[in-house]
Amino acid sequence: MAILIGFGLWTLLKLNQSVLRQQDFPVGVFRALGLTAVLAFGIPSLWLWSVSLSVPAEGGGIAWDSPRYLAVSLCQAAAACLCLHRLAVLYLLRRRTARGRLCG
């Protein structure tokens, strides 16, 4: 499992680099599996953060007594946000490139 998550994070870093350079990033089967692994671990963390921050008065709140788990949860949420954002930007780059090919 650690190898799969490591590969997913490596793929996310490569995706980040190619999007920042505005280059195409071919997403094959293995890269898609790596990004899916990052999202599979990150989206539940995003959900739990949104629930914890939206209902602090009802006792849900955030457990501040375990900083290690708090840091891991923040890192997972950040990786998921970055992955979703970069995939959206990659989609827009590909769409713009395809539109340029049709027009020109």
XYZ file of all heavy atoms in Angstrom:
795
model
N 0.827 -1.184 0.000
C 0.000 0.000 0.000
C 0.877 1.256 0.000
O 0.553 2.229 -0.669
C -0.924 -0.006 1.214
C -1.891 1.146 1.201
S -3.189 1.052 2.418
C -2.320 1.419 3.896
N 1.963 1.218 0.727
C 2.852 2.383 0.768
C 3.473 2.642 -0.600
O 3.649 3.806 -0.987
C 3.938 2.169 1.810
N 3.770 1.593 -1.343
C 4.334 1.761 -2.680
C 3.301 2.399 -3.609
O 3.627 3.290 -4.397
C 4.826 0.411 -3.229
C 6.036 -0.065 -2.422
C 5.179 0.507 -4.710
C 6.486 -1.463 -2.751
N 2.055 1.979 -3.493
C 0.991 2.535 -4.324
C 0.775 4.015 -4.027
O 0.681 4.837 -4.945
C -0.308 1.755 -4.107
C -1.503 2.220 -4.920
C -1.253 2.002 -6.398
C -2.739 1.482 -4.477
N 0.739 4.377 -2.753
C 0.556 5.776 -2.386
C 1.777 6.597 -2.794
O 1.648 7.729 -3.284
C 0.287 5.915 -0.877
C -1.009 5.209 -0.503
C 0.225 7.370 -0.450
C -2.227 5.755 -1.201
N 2.964 6.041 -2.619
C 4.181 6.733 -3.050
C 4.181 6.990 -4.551
O 4.541 8.082 -5.008
N 3.764 5.980 -5.316
C 3.669 6.159 -6.763
C 2.619 7.210 -7.112
O 2.820 8.021 -8.021
C 3.341 4.830 -7.449
C 3.138 4.961 -8.930
C 4.224 5.202 -9.761
C 1.878 4.863 -9.484
C 4.046 5.336 -11.131
C 1.687 5.000 -10.842
C 2.774 5.230 -11.674
N 1.508 7.210 -6.385
C 0.468 8.203 -6.633
C 0.943 9.620 -6.351
O 0.664 10.546 -7.120
N 1.677 9.795 -5.271
C 2.212 11.122 -4.951
C 3.273 11.548 -5.965
O 3.340 12.726 -6.345
C 2.770 11.142 -3.537
C 1.723 11.040 -2.425
C 2.397 10.905 -1.072
C 0.793 12.234 -2.448
N 4.099 10.606 -6.419
C 5.084 10.913 -7.446
C 4.388 11.342 -8.737
O 4.796 12.296 -9.397
C 5.977 9.689 -7.676
C 7.005 9.887 -8.740
C 8.169 10.594 -8.624
C 6.961 9.391 -10.063
N 8.855 10.555 -9.812
C 8.123 9.816 -10.715
C 6.050 8.619 -10.768
C 8.395 9.498 -12.038
C 6.324 8.305 -12.077
C 7.488 8.740 -12.694
N 3.311 10.625 -9.104
C 2.543 10.973 -10.290
C 1.902 12.349 -10.130
O 1.865 13.140 -11.070
C 1.458 9.911 -10.557
O 2.079 8.636 -10.660
C 0.699 10.201 -11.824
N 1.421 12.641 -8.932
C 0.832 13.957 -8.675
C 1.873 15.063 -8.828
O 1.590 16.126 -9.381
C 0.211 13.995 -7.275
C -0.438 15.301 -6.846
C -1.560 15.693 -7.794
C -0.958 15.190 -5.430
N 3.090 14.830 -8.373
C 4.151 15.822 -8.544
C 4.491 16.027 -10.021
O 4.708 17.160 -10.462
C 5.396 15.409 -7.767
C 5.287 15.503 -6.245
C 6.549 14.956 -5.593
C 5.035 16.926 -5.812
N 4.526 14.954 -10.798
C 4.780 15.071 -12.236
C 3.633 15.806 -12.936
O 3.862 16.615 -13.832
C 4.970 13.690 -12.866
C 6.216 12.993 -12.421
C 7.431 13.769 -12.880
C 8.694 13.060 -12.463
N 9.883 13.818 -12.834
N 2.402 15.521 -12.529
C 1.239 16.230 -13.071
C 1.328 17.714 -12.744
O 1.088 18.569 -13.598
C -0.055 15.638 -12.504
C -1.350 16.385 -12.812
C -1.664 16.323 -14.290
C -2.492 15.812 -11.997
N 1.707 18.031 -11.521
C 1.850 19.421 -11.099
C 2.891 20.136 -11.954
O 2.666 21.264 -12.407
C 2.220 19.468 -9.619
C 2.168 20.856 -9.061
O 1.388 21.690 -9.494
N 3.004 21.117 -8.079
N 4.030 19.494 -12.186
C 5.078 20.106 -13.003
C 4.613 20.354 -14.429
O 4.854 21.421 -14.995
C 6.318 19.216 -13.035
C 7.097 19.187 -11.766
C 8.268 18.207 -11.841
O 8.412 17.475 -12.813
N 9.087 18.198 -10.805
N 3.945 19.388 -15.021
C 3.531 19.552 -16.416
C 2.429 20.603 -16.550
O 2.408 21.341 -17.526
C 3.085 18.220 -17.012
O 1.790 17.896 -16.623
N 1.545 20.701 -15.578
C 0.497 21.720 -15.644
C 1.098 23.106 -15.457
O 0.714 24.057 -16.144
C -0.609 21.434 -14.604
C -1.522 22.621 -14.424
C -1.418 20.223 -15.025
N 2.050 23.237 -14.548
C 2.686 24.538 -14.353
C 3.461 24.983 -15.592
O 3.555 26.181 -15.866
C 3.609 24.506 -13.132
C 2.902 24.414 -11.774
C 3.924 24.275 -10.657
C 2.019 25.627 -11.541
N 3.998 24.035 -16.341
C 4.696 24.356 -17.597
C 3.734 24.446 -18.777
O 4.163 24.699 -19.896
C 5.740 23.291 -17.896
C 6.871 23.268 -16.911
C 7.838 22.170 -17.250
N 8.848 22.042 -16.214
C 9.535 20.958 -15.986
N 9.345 19.881 -16.719
N 10.424 20.924 -15.019
N 2.465 24.183 -18.538
C 1.405 24.159 -19.555
C 1.726 23.159 -20.663
O 1.564 23.427 -21.841
C 1.153 25.550 -20.116
C 0.591 26.501 -19.091
C 0.202 27.825 -19.681
O 0.464 28.108 -20.840
N -0.445 28.645 -18.867
N 2.177 21.987 -20.256
C 2.457 20.899 -21.172
C 1.421 19.804 -20.967
O 0.809 19.699 -19.906
C 3.848 20.323 -20.924
C 4.969 21.287 -21.167
C 6.305 20.705 -20.764
O 6.378 19.695 -20.067
N 7.381 21.349 -21.192
N 1.260 18.984 -22.000
C 0.326 17.872 -21.889
C 0.915 16.793 -20.982
O 2.126 16.600 -20.918
C 0.040 17.287 -23.265
C -1.106 16.297 -23.229
O -1.985 16.433 -22.368
O -1.121 15.385 -24.080
N 0.045 16.113 -20.270
C 0.440 15.038 -19.361
C -0.391 13.812 -19.716
O -1.577 13.746 -19.376
C 0.190 15.454 -17.908
C 0.661 14.458 -16.898
C 2.007 14.331 -16.611
C -0.242 13.649 -16.226
C 2.444 13.417 -15.669
C 0.175 12.734 -15.286
C 1.526 12.621 -15.008
N 0.195 12.860 -20.444
C -0.585 11.676 -20.817
C -0.903 10.823 -19.587
O -0.003 10.423 -18.853
C 0.327 10.936 -21.797
C 1.699 11.431 -21.517
C 1.562 12.815 -20.958
N -2.172 10.587 -19.375
C -2.618 9.807 -18.214
C -2.988 8.416 -18.711
O -4.033 8.216 -19.313
C -3.814 10.473 -17.511
C -4.260 9.640 -16.320
C -3.464 11.876 -17.080
N -2.091 7.477 -18.443
C -2.345 6.090 -18.809
C -2.991 5.341 -17.650
O -3.460 5.930 -16.677
N -2.989 4.038 -17.747
C -3.636 3.204 -16.742
C -2.941 3.325 -15.387
O -3.586 3.549 -14.352
C -3.662 1.727 -17.208
C -4.199 0.834 -16.117
C -4.479 1.584 -18.463
N -1.619 3.219 -15.367
C -0.906 3.244 -14.091
C -0.943 4.622 -13.448
O -1.071 4.745 -12.231
C 0.537 2.764 -14.280
C 0.626 1.304 -14.607
C 1.076 0.888 -15.848
C 0.229 0.353 -13.685
C 1.138 -0.453 -16.158
C 0.296 -0.994 -13.977
C 0.745 -1.400 -15.217
N -0.821 5.661 -14.248
C -0.907 7.008 -13.688
C -2.308 7.287 -13.144
O -2.458 7.921 -12.106
C -0.538 8.042 -14.742
C 0.944 8.066 -15.028
C 1.281 9.100 -16.053
N 2.719 9.213 -16.209
C 3.303 9.972 -17.103
N 2.573 10.694 -17.933
N 4.613 10.024 -17.182
N -3.321 6.813 -13.855
C -4.692 6.990 -13.374
C -4.901 6.238 -12.056
O -5.565 6.739 -11.148
C -5.688 6.513 -14.423
N -4.329 5.048 -11.944
C -4.434 4.294 -10.691
C -3.722 5.015 -9.546
O -4.215 5.039 -8.414
C -3.861 2.888 -10.858
C -4.717 1.905 -11.655
C -3.965 0.604 -11.865
C -6.035 1.663 -10.963
N -2.578 5.606 -9.833
C -1.855 6.353 -8.807
C -2.638 7.566 -8.329
O -2.753 7.820 -7.127
N -3.193 8.323 -9.275
C -3.988 9.491 -8.897
C -5.274 9.078 -8.189
O -5.737 9.764 -7.270
C -4.296 10.339 -10.129
C -3.081 11.009 -10.782
C -3.486 11.704 -12.065
C -2.415 11.977 -9.831
N -5.840 7.943 -8.574
C -7.029 7.438 -7.899
C -6.708 7.055 -6.463
O -7.518 7.283 -5.556
C -7.603 6.223 -8.658
O -7.898 6.627 -9.994
C -8.861 5.701 -8.003
N -5.532 6.497 -6.234
C -5.129 6.146 -4.867
C -4.990 7.404 -4.009
O -5.408 7.420 -2.843
C -3.819 5.368 -4.881
N -4.408 8.457 -4.580
C -4.293 9.715 -3.832
C -5.670 10.253 -3.490
O -5.930 10.674 -2.352
C -3.480 10.752 -4.649
C -3.559 12.125 -4.021
C -2.039 10.313 -4.760
N -6.583 10.209 -4.446
C -7.934 10.702 -4.193
C -8.706 9.795 -3.235
O -9.504 10.279 -2.427
C -8.702 10.843 -5.507
C -8.242 11.982 -6.408
C -8.987 11.937 -7.738
C -8.432 13.315 -5.733
N -8.457 8.493 -3.308
C -9.167 7.562 -2.427
C -8.818 7.793 -0.962
O -9.653 7.589 -0.076
C -8.851 6.123 -2.817
N -7.597 8.217 -0.687
C -7.209 8.505 0.686
C -7.451 9.964 1.066
O -7.567 10.282 2.242
C -5.734 8.155 0.918
C -5.503 6.695 1.049
C -5.155 5.934 -0.051
C -5.651 6.065 2.267
C -4.948 4.576 0.060
C -5.442 4.705 2.395
C -5.088 3.962 1.286
N -7.522 10.852 0.088
C -7.653 12.268 0.386
C -9.074 12.774 0.491
O -9.371 13.663 1.305
N -9.978 12.235 -0.302
C -11.357 12.744 -0.289
C -12.064 12.466 1.038
O -12.763 13.353 1.534
C -12.136 12.210 -1.510
C -11.576 12.913 -2.742
C -13.623 12.425 -1.371
C -12.276 12.687 -4.017
N -11.905 11.308 1.668
C -12.511 11.156 3.001
C -11.959 12.162 4.014
O -12.692 12.653 4.872
C -12.157 9.723 3.400
C -11.975 9.012 2.124
C -11.385 10.021 1.189
N -10.696 12.498 3.889
C -10.123 13.499 4.780
C -10.753 14.867 4.535
O -11.050 15.600 5.482
C -8.612 13.569 4.570
O -8.052 14.560 5.378
N -10.969 15.216 3.262
C -11.655 16.473 2.949
C -13.062 16.488 3.537
O -13.514 17.501 4.081
C -11.748 16.674 1.438
C -10.523 17.182 0.724
C -10.749 17.186 -0.775
C -10.189 18.573 1.207
N -13.751 15.367 3.416
C -15.107 15.270 3.946
C -15.112 15.459 5.466
O -15.932 16.203 6.006
C -15.714 13.930 3.574
C -17.049 13.710 4.203
C -17.321 12.924 5.281
C -18.274 14.311 3.816
N -18.639 12.997 5.585
C -19.264 13.843 4.702
C -18.649 15.189 2.817
C -20.593 14.232 4.599
C -19.970 15.572 2.717
C -20.917 15.096 3.602
N -14.204 14.789 6.140
C -14.158 14.903 7.594
C -13.776 16.307 8.047
O -14.295 16.806 9.048
C -13.201 13.868 8.177
C -13.682 12.425 8.064
C -12.603 11.469 8.542
C -14.964 12.222 8.836
N -12.871 16.972 7.317
C -12.534 18.351 7.661
C -13.733 19.269 7.465
O -13.981 20.156 8.285
C -11.354 18.855 6.824
C -10.042 18.551 7.450
C -9.150 17.613 7.053
C -9.486 19.172 8.607
N -8.056 17.611 7.891
C -8.241 18.564 8.848
C -9.912 20.171 9.465
C -7.426 18.933 9.904
C -9.090 20.540 10.519
C -7.868 19.918 10.726
N -14.477 19.063 6.380
C -15.640 19.925 6.151
C -16.705 19.710 7.222
O -17.320 20.666 7.685
C -16.221 19.685 4.760
O -16.767 18.383 4.668
N -16.892 18.464 7.646
C -17.864 18.195 8.708
C -17.379 18.765 10.036
O -18.156 19.380 10.778
C -18.128 16.671 8.825
C -18.904 16.345 10.078
C -18.861 16.176 7.600
N -16.109 18.594 10.335
C -15.576 19.083 11.610
C -15.612 20.603 11.698
O -15.860 21.165 12.759
C -14.138 18.618 11.804
O -14.101 17.222 11.934
N -15.370 21.268 10.595
C -15.358 22.728 10.619
C -16.754 23.331 10.507
O -16.975 24.458 10.947
C -14.475 23.265 9.491
C -12.995 22.949 9.632
C -12.239 23.430 8.402
C -12.423 23.561 10.890
N -17.698 22.576 9.964
C -19.043 23.123 9.807
C -19.905 22.936 11.048
O -20.864 23.664 11.235
C -19.735 22.494 8.603
O -19.961 21.123 8.842
N -19.589 21.973 11.906
C -20.416 21.700 13.076
C -19.569 21.676 14.357
O -19.622 20.708 15.108
C -21.145 20.348 12.922
C -22.382 20.307 13.777
C -21.474 20.018 11.504
N -18.812 22.723 14.650
C -17.995 22.656 15.860
C -18.810 22.789 17.140
O -18.398 22.317 18.190
C -17.037 23.840 15.703
C -17.753 24.786 14.827
C -18.598 23.943 13.913
N -19.979 23.382 17.056
C -20.779 23.604 18.264
C -21.476 22.336 18.749
O -21.848 22.233 19.904
C -21.818 24.684 18.006
N -21.627 21.353 17.881
C -22.335 20.132 18.254
C -21.419 19.073 18.834
O -21.806 17.910 18.950
C -23.071 19.570 17.035
C -24.206 20.461 16.563
C -24.927 19.853 15.392
O -24.660 18.693 15.047
O -25.765 20.548 14.817
N -20.214 19.415 19.143
C -19.306 18.461 19.766
C -18.454 17.690 18.789
O -17.614 16.889 19.192
N -18.643 17.894 17.470
C -17.826 17.195 16.470
C -16.387 17.632 16.577
O -15.515 16.904 17.011
N -16.170 18.858 16.253
C -14.886 19.517 16.442
C -13.672 18.765 15.953
O -13.758 17.775 15.246
N -12.532 19.245 16.340
C -11.248 18.695 15.928
C -10.509 18.232 17.173
O -10.460 18.939 18.176
C -10.431 19.767 15.188
C -11.189 20.211 13.939
C -9.059 19.258 14.829
C -10.612 21.413 13.269
N -9.931 17.047 17.095
C -9.169 16.510 18.223
C -7.760 17.092 18.184
O -6.917 16.656 17.408
C -9.133 14.988 18.154
N -7.491 18.067 19.025
C -6.196 18.730 19.051
C -5.172 17.964 19.891
O -4.004 18.330 19.898
C -6.328 20.145 19.604
C -7.212 21.001 18.769
C -8.514 21.310 19.024
C -6.885 21.646 17.543
N -9.015 22.101 18.030
C -8.031 22.329 17.102
C -5.736 21.702 16.762
C -8.062 23.055 15.924
C -5.772 22.440 15.593
C -6.912 23.097 15.195
N -5.585 16.887 20.545
C -4.678 16.162 21.427
C -3.766 15.180 20.689
O -2.864 14.614 21.289
C -5.470 15.423 22.503
C -6.492 14.467 21.923
O -6.842 14.637 20.737
O -6.949 13.574 22.646
N -3.973 14.970 19.395
C -3.104 14.074 18.626
C -2.595 14.819 17.385
O -3.173 14.701 16.306
C -3.853 12.807 18.238
O -5.030 13.140 17.558
N -1.511 15.567 17.532
C -1.033 16.385 16.420
C -0.530 15.574 15.223
O -0.590 16.039 14.093
C 0.103 17.211 17.034
C 0.491 16.491 18.265
C -0.716 15.755 18.744
N -0.083 14.351 15.467
C 0.394 13.530 14.355
C -0.756 13.205 13.401
O -0.623 13.339 12.188
C 1.018 12.244 14.892
C 1.510 11.327 13.800
C 2.148 10.106 14.356
N 1.253 9.424 15.279
C 1.339 8.153 15.586
N 2.298 7.430 15.094
N 0.489 7.599 16.418
N -1.897 12.792 13.943
C -3.044 12.479 13.097
C -3.613 13.731 12.453
O -4.101 13.694 11.321
C -4.107 11.753 13.911
C -3.653 10.400 14.370
C -3.555 10.100 15.716
C -3.299 9.422 13.452
C -3.117 8.858 16.141
C -2.864 8.176 13.869
C -2.781 7.902 15.207
O -2.346 6.685 15.620
N -3.531 14.829 13.149
C -3.987 16.097 12.605
C -3.130 16.490 11.395
O -3.650 16.907 10.357
C -3.925 17.175 13.686
C -4.519 18.522 13.365
C -6.016 18.407 13.157
C -4.222 19.501 14.481
N -1.820 16.333 11.503
C -0.911 16.660 10.397
C -1.138 15.734 9.209
O -1.152 16.184 8.055
C 0.533 16.576 10.876
N -1.323 14.451 9.465
C -1.573 13.500 8.375
C -2.876 13.842 7.668
O -2.954 13.834 6.433
C -1.597 12.057 8.909
C -2.141 11.088 7.876
C -0.206 11.634 9.340
N -3.885 14.171 8.424
C -5.174 14.520 7.844
C -5.082 15.793 7.000
O -5.678 15.883 5.929
C -6.200 14.704 8.961
O -7.431 15.099 8.429
N -4.319 16.771 7.465
C -4.131 17.993 6.677
C -3.370 17.712 5.384
O -3.712 18.252 4.328
C -3.386 19.040 7.501
C -4.203 19.807 8.516
C -3.296 20.661 9.390
C -5.240 20.654 7.834
N -2.358 16.873 5.452
C -1.580 16.531 4.254
C -2.422 15.752 3.245
O -2.315 15.977 2.035
C -0.343 15.735 4.632
S 0.896 16.710 5.491
N -3.247 14.841 3.718
C -4.121 14.094 2.816
C -5.111 15.019 2.130
O -5.353 14.906 0.926
C -4.873 13.009 3.579
C -4.037 11.837 3.955
C -4.813 10.824 4.782
O -5.816 11.154 5.421
N -4.343 9.599 4.795
N -5.687 15.933 2.884
C -6.643 16.873 2.306
C -5.959 17.794 1.297
O -6.507 18.084 0.233
C -7.313 17.690 3.408
N -4.745 18.235 1.611
C -4.014 19.107 0.692
C -3.668 18.374 -0.605
O -3.775 18.942 -1.698
C -2.748 19.632 1.357
N -3.260 17.124 -0.499
C -2.938 16.335 -1.699
C -4.185 16.121 -2.559
O -4.113 16.205 -3.792
C -2.327 14.996 -1.308
N -5.319 15.872 -1.944
C -6.553 15.685 -2.703
C -6.971 16.979 -3.397
O -7.375 16.954 -4.564
C -7.666 15.194 -1.783
N -6.866 18.100 -2.697
C -7.206 19.394 -3.309
C -6.289 19.696 -4.484
O -6.750 20.138 -5.543
C -7.121 20.512 -2.279
S -8.456 20.524 -1.095
N -4.997 19.465 -4.309
C -4.037 19.697 -5.391
C -4.333 18.798 -6.578
O -4.308 19.238 -7.732
C -2.612 19.478 -4.895
C -1.509 19.692 -5.928
C -1.432 21.153 -6.339
C -0.178 19.223 -5.387
N -4.637 17.550 -6.324
C -4.925 16.597 -7.397
C -6.166 17.023 -8.179
O -6.151 17.061 -9.412
C -5.109 15.199 -6.819
S -5.299 13.916 -8.063
N -7.226 17.365 -7.488
C -8.452 17.784 -8.164
C -8.237 19.075 -8.958
O -8.709 19.203 -10.095
C -9.575 17.969 -7.148
C -10.108 16.694 -6.508
C -11.081 17.033 -5.391
C -10.769 15.812 -7.542
N -7.510 20.018 -8.379
C -7.257 21.281 -9.064
C -6.403 21.080 -10.307
O -6.711 21.619 -11.380
C -6.586 22.271 -8.105
C -6.341 23.597 -8.728
N -5.116 23.935 -9.256
C -7.158 24.662 -8.929
C -5.191 25.158 -9.743
N -6.422 25.619 -9.557
N -5.340 20.313 -10.193
C -4.458 20.101 -11.341
C -5.134 19.295 -12.444
O -4.891 19.523 -13.632
C -3.160 19.422 -10.922
C -2.290 20.270 -10.045
C -1.987 21.597 -10.688
N -1.081 22.372 -9.868
C -1.021 23.684 -9.875
N -1.795 24.374 -10.666
N -0.193 24.325 -9.101
N -5.989 18.341 -12.081
C -6.732 17.602 -13.108
C -7.709 18.513 -13.833
O -7.896 18.400 -15.051
C -7.448 16.406 -12.490
C -6.561 15.227 -12.120
C -7.365 14.180 -11.360
C -5.921 14.613 -13.356
N -8.328 19.443 -13.112
C -9.236 20.400 -13.749
C -8.474 21.325 -14.700
O -8.925 21.595 -15.817
C -9.972 21.207 -12.688
N -7.308 21.790 -14.274
C -6.504 22.661 -15.135
C -6.001 21.885 -16.354
O -5.990 22.416 -17.470
C -5.334 23.290 -14.343
C -4.382 24.030 -15.255
C -5.865 24.217 -13.279
N -5.608 20.627 -16.175
C -5.186 19.798 -17.301
C -6.329 19.625 -18.292
O -6.133 19.705 -19.504
C -4.694 18.433 -16.808
C -4.222 17.464 -17.885
C -2.958 17.985 -18.560
C -3.980 16.091 -17.293
N -7.534 19.418 -17.786
C -8.708 19.300 -18.659
C -8.903 20.585 -19.461
O -9.149 20.538 -20.673
C -9.953 18.984 -17.821
C -11.229 19.063 -18.606
C -11.581 18.068 -19.502
C -12.087 20.148 -18.460
C -12.750 18.143 -20.232
C -13.256 20.238 -19.176
C -13.581 19.236 -20.070
O -14.740 19.325 -20.786
N -8.784 21.739 -18.805
C -8.955 23.008 -19.511
C -7.843 23.237 -20.538
O -8.107 23.762 -21.631
C -8.998 24.159 -18.511
C -10.233 24.187 -17.602
C -10.109 25.297 -16.581
C -11.503 24.328 -18.422
N -6.614 22.844 -20.211
C -5.518 22.965 -21.178
C -5.762 22.097 -22.407
O -5.552 22.535 -23.541
C -4.189 22.573 -20.531
C -3.545 23.582 -19.589
C -2.337 22.958 -18.890
C -3.130 24.821 -20.341
N -6.214 20.884 -22.189
C -6.490 19.995 -23.318
C -7.653 20.512 -24.150
O -7.647 20.422 -25.377
C -6.798 18.582 -22.823
C -5.580 17.853 -22.371
C -5.902 16.454 -21.964
N -4.698 15.718 -21.601
C -4.696 14.483 -21.188
N -5.824 13.819 -21.081
N -3.562 13.902 -20.874
N -8.641 21.059 -23.483
C -9.806 21.604 -24.189
C -9.396 22.803 -25.040
O -9.844 22.946 -26.173
C -10.859 21.987 -23.162
C -12.170 22.342 -23.734
C -13.177 22.494 -22.629
N -14.286 23.280 -23.112
C -15.127 23.910 -22.362
N -15.004 23.840 -21.053
N -16.109 24.596 -22.867
N -8.541 23.673 -24.472
C -8.076 24.844 -25.210
C -7.223 24.420 -26.407
O -7.338 24.980 -27.489
C -7.272 25.747 -24.290
C -6.850 27.044 -24.950
C -6.095 27.913 -24.007
N -4.811 27.275 -23.706
C -3.967 27.714 -22.812
N -4.264 28.769 -22.080
N -2.824 27.088 -22.598
N -6.387 23.399 -26.218
C -5.550 22.904 -27.315
C -6.406 22.294 -28.408
O -6.161 22.526 -29.592
C -4.544 21.866 -26.781
O -3.792 22.465 -25.743
C -3.612 21.403 -27.870
N -7.408 21.531 -28.027
C -8.293 20.912 -29.019
C -9.086 21.979 -29.772
O -9.290 21.872 -30.978
C -9.241 19.934 -28.343
N -9.515 23.013 -29.082
C -10.263 24.099 -29.732
C -9.350 24.840 -30.698
O -9.790 25.233 -31.788
C -10.814 25.066 -28.683
C -11.734 26.101 -29.308
C -12.298 27.044 -28.273
N -13.095 26.299 -27.308
C -13.337 26.718 -26.090
N -12.860 27.872 -25.664
N -14.082 26.005 -25.263
N -8.092 25.021 -30.341
C -7.129 25.668 -31.238
C -6.866 24.854 -32.480
O -6.668 25.394 -33.570
N -6.868 23.550 -32.346
C -6.664 22.682 -33.508
C -7.864 22.744 -34.454
O -7.715 22.677 -35.660
C -6.452 21.234 -33.089
C -5.117 21.007 -32.446
C -4.960 19.555 -32.035
N -3.775 19.385 -31.236
C -3.573 18.393 -30.421
N -4.482 17.437 -30.319
N -2.464 18.312 -29.725
N -9.065 22.858 -33.893
C -10.254 22.928 -34.730
C -10.344 24.265 -35.468
O -10.748 24.311 -36.623
C -11.515 22.735 -33.871
C -11.739 21.346 -33.294
C -12.960 21.337 -32.382
C -11.924 20.325 -34.396
N -9.967 25.323 -34.792
C -10.079 26.657 -35.390
C -8.938 26.960 -36.348
O -9.096 27.728 -37.280
C -10.123 27.729 -34.303
S -11.589 27.624 -33.279
N -7.779 26.421 -36.074
C -6.615 26.825 -36.878
C -6.092 25.707 -37.630
O -5.516 25.451 -38.519
